[in-house]
Amino acid sequence: MLKLYKKEGDTLRYWVAWVHEGKLTVHSGIVGESGKEQETPVPEDEDPDMVIAQAAESLVDAGYDEPDPDAMVPLVVQYPLQGKGTGQDFEKRHAVEELLTNVLGWSGNGEVEGGESQPGRMNVFCHVMDAEIAARTLVEVLDDEDLLEGALIAIVREGEEPQVLWPQDYPGPFRV
């Protein structure tokens, strides 16, 4: 899989390509939007990495580049737990991880890094290209799936105080 991005004014564009089951899939658009998808058959004797590289060549020439991992924003979606939580809480965390993986991937805005449960809270860790857009997208999809209640969404950069993006009037503090 190859992910490329390009900033055009205030707009961040994405282009993602992968080969699976004999097809090159290219998914592209504006970060935070679903974008469009195209599939092209790949001959069996073609190296998938070369197919992707060839497809990306003109975009790289036009200024698209792989994301700088340090430029991605660490975002945490957190839910309160009673004690260490229950099996239902564990299942909920995995459902949230799967949901966020899908929405961040298909909107070109990042990825889920995993999750953890601690006494009193459970966290889903993400790295996103645009935190404000990601927060709006995540609030919408969590609300659609009845998973927004109790959720906190925060930027959590190492060495800095967390910045809660949702809910907007959260009185704090936020602990990972």
Side-chain angles (χ1 to χ4, degrees), residues 26 34 46 52 88 109 141:
V26 173
S34 295
E46 291 283 329
I52 293 170
Q88 285 181 313
N109 202 2
V141 74

PDB file of all heavy atoms in Angstrom, residues 26 34 46 52 88 109 141:
ATOM      1  N   VAL A  26      -7.097   2.255  -6.572  1.00  0.00           N
ATOM      2  CA  VAL A  26      -6.663   3.608  -6.248  1.00  0.00           C
ATOM      3  C   VAL A  26      -7.854   4.329  -5.642  1.00  0.00           C
ATOM      4  O   VAL A  26      -8.932   4.369  -6.226  1.00  0.00           O
ATOM      5  CB  VAL A  26      -6.155   4.361  -7.501  1.00  0.00           C
ATOM      6  CG1 VAL A  26      -5.873   5.819  -7.159  1.00  0.00           C
ATOM      7  CG2 VAL A  26      -4.915   3.690  -8.073  1.00  0.00           C
ATOM      8  N   SER A  34     -15.021  10.970   1.373  1.00  0.00           N
ATOM      9  CA  SER A  34     -14.903   9.588   0.907  1.00  0.00           C
ATOM     10  C   SER A  34     -14.082   9.437  -0.365  1.00  0.00           C
ATOM     11  O   SER A  34     -13.447   8.418  -0.576  1.00  0.00           O
ATOM     12  CB  SER A  34     -16.284   8.984   0.676  1.00  0.00           C
ATOM     13  OG  SER A  34     -16.964   8.885   1.901  1.00  0.00           O
ATOM     14  N   GLU A  46       3.090  -9.292 -13.136  1.00  0.00           N
ATOM     15  CA  GLU A  46       3.547  -7.962 -12.732  1.00  0.00           C
ATOM     16  C   GLU A  46       3.832  -7.928 -11.230  1.00  0.00           C
ATOM     17  O   GLU A  46       3.084  -8.484 -10.424  1.00  0.00           O
ATOM     18  CB  GLU A  46       2.493  -6.898 -13.056  1.00  0.00           C
ATOM     19  CG  GLU A  46       2.296  -6.652 -14.524  1.00  0.00           C
ATOM     20  CD  GLU A  46       3.412  -5.813 -15.140  1.00  0.00           C
ATOM     21  OE1 GLU A  46       3.992  -4.967 -14.443  1.00  0.00           O
ATOM     22  OE2 GLU A  46       3.681  -6.028 -16.328  1.00  0.00           O
ATOM     23  N   ILE A  52       2.174  -0.225  -8.413  1.00  0.00           N
ATOM     24  CA  ILE A  52       1.821   0.926  -7.583  1.00  0.00           C
ATOM     25  C   ILE A  52       2.765   2.088  -7.870  1.00  0.00           C
ATOM     26  O   ILE A  52       2.329   3.232  -8.027  1.00  0.00           O
ATOM     27  CB  ILE A  52       1.829   0.547  -6.088  1.00  0.00           C
ATOM     28  CG1 ILE A  52       0.694  -0.440  -5.791  1.00  0.00           C
ATOM     29  CG2 ILE A  52       1.712   1.787  -5.202  1.00  0.00           C
ATOM     30  CD1 ILE A  52       0.742  -1.056  -4.406  1.00  0.00           C
ATOM     31  N   GLN A  88     -18.099  -6.725  27.717  1.00  0.00           N
ATOM     32  CA  GLN A  88     -18.824  -5.843  26.795  1.00  0.00           C
ATOM     33  C   GLN A  88     -18.017  -4.599  26.454  1.00  0.00           C
ATOM     34  O   GLN A  88     -18.021  -4.138  25.319  1.00  0.00           O
ATOM     35  CB  GLN A  88     -20.178  -5.437  27.387  1.00  0.00           C
ATOM     36  CG  GLN A  88     -21.206  -6.520  27.344  1.00  0.00           C
ATOM     37  CD  GLN A  88     -22.527  -6.033  27.916  1.00  0.00           C
ATOM     38  OE1 GLN A  88     -22.570  -5.421  28.982  1.00  0.00           O
ATOM     39  NE2 GLN A  88     -23.605  -6.314  27.202  1.00  0.00           N
ATOM     40  N   ASN A 109      -7.707  10.150   6.095  1.00  0.00           N
ATOM     41  CA  ASN A 109      -7.237  10.992   7.197  1.00  0.00           C
ATOM     42  C   ASN A 109      -6.410  10.273   8.239  1.00  0.00           C
ATOM     43  O   ASN A 109      -6.137  10.837   9.290  1.00  0.00           O
ATOM     44  CB  ASN A 109      -8.411  11.703   7.862  1.00  0.00           C
ATOM     45  CG  ASN A 109      -7.965  12.938   8.615  1.00  0.00           C
ATOM     46  OD1 ASN A 109      -6.805  13.300   8.618  1.00  0.00           O
ATOM     47  ND2 ASN A 109      -8.908  13.583   9.267  1.00  0.00           N
ATOM     48  N   VAL A 141     -19.589   9.682  12.812  1.00  0.00           N
ATOM     49  CA  VAL A 141     -19.723   8.234  12.655  1.00  0.00           C
ATOM     50  C   VAL A 141     -20.019   7.546  13.997  1.00  0.00           C
ATOM     51  O   VAL A 141     -20.805   6.604  14.045  1.00  0.00           O
ATOM     52  CB  VAL A 141     -18.488   7.622  11.949  1.00  0.00           C
ATOM     53  CG1 VAL A 141     -17.270   7.565  12.843  1.00  0.00           C
ATOM     54  CG2 VAL A 141     -18.802   6.241  11.410  1.00  0.00           C
TER      55      VAL A 141
END
